[in-house]
């Protein structure tokens, strides 16, 4: 029998209880299990440095009007240390709910591995992940969002090292994913390495922000992994390390190490999240003077 999901809830305003970052919650029910079996699911998308998803499925019965839970499975999907591609693994169930909430038996990994309903759990888990991945489409080539006065955008045409060459992108051994550098997402140079287009957002005073379309230098292996995930249903799990390949107005930070990953929701190009470079780390988190930043970027001053 074919299973179906009924997504009854989506909450975009939750916070991760551990780090305070953004968490998107989903909940619903499962149809088609047969034999009177019922199931409820919850899924949580976390906007961590390496984005991850927790899926919990509670199986039970409905002898009357109320759902009576038997047991709950849980799995985590995301980056695994020491492994290139994301993976899904069983975790202790019920961590997303208070102890007083009735979830039946909250299965730990060893017990879940030997449970007779494990196969049904994986089937529901996969359907949930496929649904979430389907929400993470592509949008505009820059950022996937609408521009406005308070969120201004600047796009670097090329990595600084390529822009400084006499023939720039026309130099022998330089290849772009699009003949127009403004629309390209990948660049490879025989002499200078691999680069991927990303967004870097700086908070400014007065509620303003300045978002740069930058290039990040990455290893060939990382570039290949990004390419595999970019157009796949698993793009939302993307997380990687690189170095900033453009000097930012007022900040500089050319060559600064950064971590980046798919934005949340995963629409558009990757987003720079953190840096160990002191100047860039501060610029990513502490608002700069909007007037000075816009002047340095060649933009009109803030309104008012």
């Amino acid at each position: 029998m074919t299973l179906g999901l009924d997504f009854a809830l989506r909450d975009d305003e939750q916070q991760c209880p551990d780090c305070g970052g953004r968490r998107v919650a989903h909940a619903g029910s499962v149809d088609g299990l047969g034999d009177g079996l019922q199931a409820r699911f919850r899924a949580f998308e976390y906007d961590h440095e390496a984005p991850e998803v927790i899926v919990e499925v509670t199986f039970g019965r409905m002898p009357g009007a109320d759902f009576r839970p038997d047991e709950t499975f849980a799995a985590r999907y995301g980056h695994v240390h020491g492994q290139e591609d994301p993976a899904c693994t069983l975790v202790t169930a019920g961590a997303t709910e208070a102890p007083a909430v009735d979830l039946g038996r909250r299965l730990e990994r060893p017990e879940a591995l030997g449970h007779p309903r494990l196969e049904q759990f994986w089937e529901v888990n996969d359907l949930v992940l496929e649904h979430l991945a389907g929400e993470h489409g592509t949008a505009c080539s820059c950022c996937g969002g609408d521009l406005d006065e308070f969120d201004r955008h600047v796009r670097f045409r090329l990595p600084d090292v390529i822009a400084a060459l006499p023939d720039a992108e026309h130099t022998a051994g330089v290849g772009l994913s699009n003949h127009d550098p403004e629309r390209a997402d990948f660049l490879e140079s025989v002499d200078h390495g691999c680069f991927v287009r990303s967004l870097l957002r700086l908070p400014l005073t007065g509620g303003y922000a300045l978002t740069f379309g930058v290039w990040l230098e990455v290893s060939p292996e990382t570039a290949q992994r990004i390419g595999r995930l970019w157009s796949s249903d698993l793009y939302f799990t993307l997380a990687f390390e690189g170095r900033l390949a453009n000097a930012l107005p007022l900040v500089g930070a050319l060559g600064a190490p950064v971590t980046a990953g798919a934005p949340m929701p995963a629409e558009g190009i990757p987003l720079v999240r953190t840096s160990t470079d002191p100047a860039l780390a501060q610029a990513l988190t502490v608002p700069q003077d909007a007037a000075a930043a816009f002047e340095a970027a060649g933009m009109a001053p803030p309104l008012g």
Side-chain angles (χ1 to χ4, degrees):
M1 184 176 294
T2 302
L3 298 185
L5 301 181
D6 179 14
F7 277 77
L9 177 146
R10 176 186 172 114
D11 185 353
D12 296 276
E13 303 300 326
Q14 292 194 3
Q15 284 188 326
C16 172
D18 296 323
C19 70
R22 185 178 178 222
R23 183 174 82 171
V24 179
H26 308 263
S29 58
V30 184
D31 300 319
L33 289 168
D35 296 326
L37 186 63
Q38 303 286 326
R40 304 288 185 267
F41 66 84
R42 295 166 302 283
F44 299 89
E45 298 180 88
Y46 293 87
D47 194 15
H48 291 157
E49 182 177 326
E52 61 183 334
V53 179
I54 300 294
V55 176
E56 293 199 336
V57 179
T58 301
F59 293 96
R61 306 277 176 177
M62 291 188 67
D66 298 325
F67 176 70
R68 294 185 181 178
D70 293 333
E71 67 277 310
T72 297
F73 293 77
R76 173 192 176 275
Y77 194 91
H79 176 72
V80 177
H81 180 70
Q83 183 171 314
E84 280 196 4
D85 295 324
C88 199
T89 184
L90 291 168
V91 295
T92 299
T96 61
E97 295 284 2
V101 176
D102 187 6
L103 299 176
R105 186 171 181 82
R106 303 185 183 209
L107 301 178
E108 297 184 357
R109 176 181 168 82
E111 188 176 5
L113 283 170
H115 199 283
R117 287 179 179 166
L118 178 61
E119 185 175 345
Q120 288 175 304
F121 164 72
W122 283 129
E123 187 174 0
V124 175
N125 177 81
D126 291 349
L127 287 174
V128 172
L129 291 176
E130 288 172 8
H131 176 91
L132 297 183
E135 295 184 345
H136 301 154
T138 58
C140 89
S141 60
C142 183
C143 71
D146 296 327
L147 306 184
D148 59 40
E149 162 65 18
F150 287 89
D151 186 10
R152 303 189 189 181
H153 289 225
V154 178
R155 170 168 278 213
F156 286 95
R157 188 169 181 272
L158 294 165
D160 286 4
V161 67
I162 304 298
L165 299 174
D167 294 323
E169 73 271 20
H170 303 295
T171 302
V174 174
L176 288 156
S177 60
N178 189 297
H179 70 279
D180 181 0
E182 294 284 346
R183 297 179 177 274
D185 294 321
F186 293 92
L187 184 152
E188 184 175 0
S189 167
V190 171
D191 296 324
H192 300 285
C194 299
F195 302 85
V196 60
R197 175 77 74 179
S198 298
L199 293 178
L200 190 153
R201 186 177 186 274
L202 300 183
L204 305 177
T205 56
Y208 283 87
L210 187 52
T211 300
F212 292 95
V214 299
W215 289 95
L216 302 182
E217 183 180 1
V218 297
S219 69
E221 295 77 16
T222 297
Q224 291 176 7
R225 181 165 60 86
I226 295 172
R228 290 198 304 270
L229 291 175
W230 190 286
S231 58
S232 79
D233 290 343
L234 303 180
Y235 175 57
F236 72 103
T237 67
L238 176 66
F240 63 95
E241 297 179 350
R243 290 188 175 273
L244 184 61
N246 300 107
L248 303 176
L250 294 183
V251 180
L254 179 64
V258 299
T259 63
M264 186 176 183
E267 298 172 347
I269 62 180
L271 176 69
V272 172
R273 299 180 182 279
T274 64
S275 176
T276 55
D277 178 85
L280 183 55
Q282 179 171 340
L284 286 168
T285 56
V286 180
Q288 302 179 74
D289 180 72
F294 290 154
E295 181 180 3
M299 293 181 162
L303 294 176

